[in-house]
Amino acid sequence: MRTLRTRLRGTAALALLPLLALTACGSGDTGGTAAVGAEASPAPTDDPVAAVRKVDSAAALLPADVRKAGKLRVGSSIGFPPGAYYPNGTDKAPAGQDIDLADAVAKVLGVGLERQDASFETILPALGSGKYDFGTGNFGVTAERLKTIDFVTYINDGQGFAVKKGNTALKAKVTDLTQLCGLTIGTGAGTTFEATLTAQKGVCAKAGKKPYDVKVYSENAATLTALQQGRIDVIMSTINGLRYQAAQPASQTAFLGEFHRLDVGFAFKKGSPLTKAFRAAVNELIENGTYARILKKWGTSASAIDTSRINPPEHT
């Protein structure tokens, strides 16, 4: 689902803001930056990917030219934990759940990864042009995206809401968008969150209430700053990202719970010959326990799936 980010940039003050995920599901299923006075969360030190080995039966599902080349190009939306972020600066290697899972899949398939940092909203269009072989960024599986994109699922995340601690306008879990009537919501451009809010904007008028306002940001630092300064009342983003953020005391945000679950997957151009190999690789990681260890490392075990699927229908 969440979730969105562009390359971490901006002022030093923004670079010190607590990390926020807007993804991908936007899934934007999803970059993060954050609250003044906080530092980027250090990455966990355990490495469940280190022991992963090539599995010939899965690797045999790759096209012959890929096996010969021995590498795949991945467009990665990097910037927020627990999905993908830069714990030690953009000149160092990224870390996160998406990074570990992609690296583990590549090891199962016996190929290397050529990772390119890209803004969330540019990755899916670039798959069709052949710029990347696949994309990561907490991309939520939706009916609309399935028209042009193939997915291989690896986690179940989705849409949630968060407010600034002490917020009095919205205290309860959001189960209906009419609870947002009269409020200003911040979210990321090109995400499932923006699509959901835009599509349902008429619910307030039908309920005889003042409509909600949607503010769209291309950088997470700007979204969180807007929340802290009172220019928006609530943020809509990924469940795992907002939950992670709320656990960081310096962020001063409160997670309001899940709104809508979405499968999240590696993204490919429609008709990609890579999907069967990726599904086999993810299922191998699930079966051998590596998958569970990666999710435990990043605190996302509650979002585990039992088996990877190609192009499952959107959750209703």
Side-chain angles (χ1 to χ4, degrees):
M1 69 288 48
R2 110 125 157 157
T3 214
L4 166 68
R5 74 166 285 286
T6 52
R7 182 179 294 274
L8 294 179
R9 55 183 180 266
T11 66
L14 289 180
L16 290 175
L17 284 173
L19 295 153
L20 164 69
L22 289 177
T23 87
C25 283
S27 253
D29 101 77
T30 88
T33 55
V36 175
E39 295 181 358
S41 303
T45 56
D46 51 318
D47 185 7
V49 181
V52 177
R53 298 292 180 265
K54 180 181 178 182
V55 176
D56 290 338
S57 58
L61 296 173
L62 287 171
D65 60 335
V66 174
R67 295 198 303 271
K68 182 177 180 181
K71 67 177 181 179
L72 290 169
R73 298 160 300 160
V74 52
S76 296
S77 176
I78 299 172
F80 58 87
Y85 71 119
Y86 289 108
N88 302 305
T90 56
D91 59 333
K92 300 293 192 299
Q97 168 194 277
D98 286 359
I99 302 299
D100 281 352
L101 285 171
D103 286 348
V105 164
K107 292 185 74 172
V108 169
L109 297 178
V111 297
L113 291 184
E114 183 181 291
R115 182 173 281 113
Q116 298 180 41
D117 185 355
S119 59
F120 175 85
E121 71 275 19
T122 66
I123 294 175
L124 297 185
L127 293 173
S129 70
K131 184 175 183 179
Y132 312 121
D133 295 306
F134 72 103
T136 62
N138 211 63
F139 290 108
V141 180
T142 67
E144 185 63 28
R145 286 179 176 164
L146 285 169
K147 295 175 183 178
T148 57
I149 298 294
D150 281 340
F151 289 96
V152 173
T153 60
Y154 62 83
I155 202 167
N156 183 267
D157 196 346
Q159 303 173 332
F161 293 93
V163 294
K164 183 178 179 180
K165 281 187 177 179
N167 174 281
T168 57
L170 188 64
K171 296 180 180 179
K173 175 180 178 180
V174 177
T175 58
D176 190 295
L177 292 184
T178 56
Q179 293 171 251
L180 304 175
C181 296
L183 301 181
T184 301
I185 308 146
T187 196
T191 61
T192 63
F193 320 119
E194 180 187 13
T196 295
L197 293 169
T198 300
Q200 299 296 319
K201 203 163 187 180
V203 297
C204 294
K206 291 180 181 178
K209 298 181 178 181
K210 182 180 177 181
Y212 56 72
D213 188 25
V214 180
K215 300 292 186 185
V216 177
Y217 299 89
S218 61
E219 297 219 10
N220 288 349
T223 310
L224 187 55
T225 298
L227 183 71
Q228 294 170 330
Q229 294 179 350
R231 289 183 280 115
I232 59 175
D233 301 298
V234 58
I235 290 173
M236 187 178 188
S237 187
T238 65
I239 293 167
N240 286 335
L242 292 178
R243 182 182 283 125
Y244 185 100
Q245 182 193 27
Q248 314 306 311
S251 74
Q252 289 298 301
T253 61
F255 178 55
L256 293 184
E258 301 176 9
F259 177 69
H260 179 54
R261 278 275 173 178
L262 284 173
D263 286 313
V264 170
F266 297 111
F268 305 81
K269 69 178 181 180
K270 204 67 180 174
S272 171
L274 299 173
T275 55
K276 290 182 179 179
F278 268 68
R279 178 181 60 185
V282 174
N283 284 331
E284 170 64 25
L285 295 171
I286 292 173
E287 291 169 12
N288 69 25
T290 302
Y291 176 79
R293 291 192 291 274
I294 290 173
L295 268 57
K296 182 179 180 181
K297 172 182 177 179
W298 295 105
T300 57
S301 297
S303 289
I305 58 175
D306 295 326
T307 188
S308 177
R309 295 190 291 168
I310 298 173
N311 297 338
E314 179 180 352
H315 285 289
T316 56

